[in-house]
Amino acid sequence: MIIAIDGPAASGKGTLGKRLAAHYHFRHLDTGVIYRAVAKALIDAGADPSDEARAVAAAHELDPEKFGHPALKTRAIGEAASVVSAFPGVREALLTFQRQFAAEPPGAVLDGRDIGTVICPNADVKIFVVADPVVRARRRTLEARSRGEDVDEAVVLADILKRDERDRNRPVAPLRAAADAHVLDNSNLDIEAGLMAAIAIVEAMKVARLHK
Ligand code: DC
């Protein structure tokens, strides 16, 4: 079974993906980390994230062993990831890795922006997570502070809105809900309640499939 979770920055899709995968004993891939790793490779090399040729080259040379690096989670890398992810050549280079990950048994949960629309259009379950931008900024700020980053919530909100705008309006694989996605608004849900809502969606899809 493949579960696709998409949604905007800081919507809670990553945490939900991880918890959902643990619940079903599936593998989990936070695909944002892949674009973040490309961005970090460029920054580490002193290159500009808007340098398309270098971004595409970095995407081809990516080392999945480095996806766990804590520096990938910073705001600056997230912003640069949004820039590199708009390049078609970068997305193309990362497609096979994501599809192979999804296809391996016993099942997988992938979260990102285009999982239900481009990477796994035939996913068994598609969930599109949304949350009020103010709530997302609050959560991201607390998360960054817990890592020791000194952040201003108003700046985080402005970043989130800018990133939403860029991710939604890029010509290639823009952030949008697939036609058959279930929208889950987690503005007012804590992690546990969000997980329960997602499990209810998955279970309903399993029952629906039995009756097809
Ligand atoms: O989910 P995140 O904040 O870690 O993602 C960082 C950036 O990567 C995001 O702004 C857009 C890009 N991204 C993407 O284009 N497609 C994905 N499937 C996941 C992330």
Side-chain angles (χ1 to χ4, degrees):
M1 173 182 261
I2 298 175
I3 302 177
I5 305 181
D6 290 300
S11 57
K13 61 189 186 315
T15 305
L16 177 63
K18 201 195 288 176
R19 296 289 303 271
L20 204 53
H23 178 82
Y24 286 108
H25 304 288
F26 288 168
R27 295 148 60 253
H28 172 237
L29 180 63
D30 166 359
T31 63
V33 156
I34 308 177
Y35 296 92
R36 285 171 182 262
V38 173
K40 184 172 182 297
L42 286 181
I43 290 170
D44 287 352
D48 191 322
S50 62
D51 183 334
E52 183 166 1
R54 293 197 63 173
V56 173
H60 280 287
E61 287 160 11
L62 215 56
D63 177 4
E65 295 284 316
K66 295 189 178 149
F67 288 169
H69 200 295
L72 294 179
K73 285 290 163 197
T74 65
R75 215 161 48 82
I77 297 285
E79 174 61 24
S82 173
V83 174
V84 300
S85 67
F87 297 132
V90 168
R91 307 200 72 84
E92 186 66 36
L94 305 174
L95 195 75
T96 306
F97 173 79
Q98 294 175 80
R99 287 198 176 142
Q100 279 174 350
F101 184 96
E104 271 174 42
V109 178
L110 282 80
D111 70 75
R113 301 290 188 291
D114 62 339
I115 309 303
T117 51
V118 176
I119 306 295
C120 304
N122 298 322
D124 303 275
V125 184
K126 299 180 187 178
I127 300 176
F128 193 78
V129 185
V130 295
D132 187 314
V134 172
V135 173
R136 291 192 271 140
R138 179 92 210 123
R139 288 179 185 155
R140 233 338 111 87
T141 302
L142 294 175
E143 212 179 275
R145 286 187 186 149
S146 74
R147 281 197 305 267
E149 274 186 71
D150 179 22
V151 291
D152 177 340
E153 195 166 334
V155 175
V156 174
L157 177 59
D159 264 14
I160 281 180
L161 294 175
K162 187 163 84 179
R163 213 125 74 78
D164 282 2
E165 167 79 14
R166 194 189 288 123
D167 295 348
R168 283 198 178 107
N169 295 311
R170 66 185 177 210
V172 191
L175 166 68
R176 65 177 172 80
D180 51 350
H182 300 259
V183 176
L184 196 168
D185 185 341
N186 83 1
S187 305
N188 300 309
L189 303 178
D190 63 15
I191 292 173
E192 210 54 42
L195 175 65
M196 291 305 140
I199 291 172
I201 292 169
V202 176
E203 293 303 315
M205 289 302 287
K206 281 190 190 165
V207 172
R209 275 210 308 196
L210 286 176
H211 292 96
K212 253 192 191 169

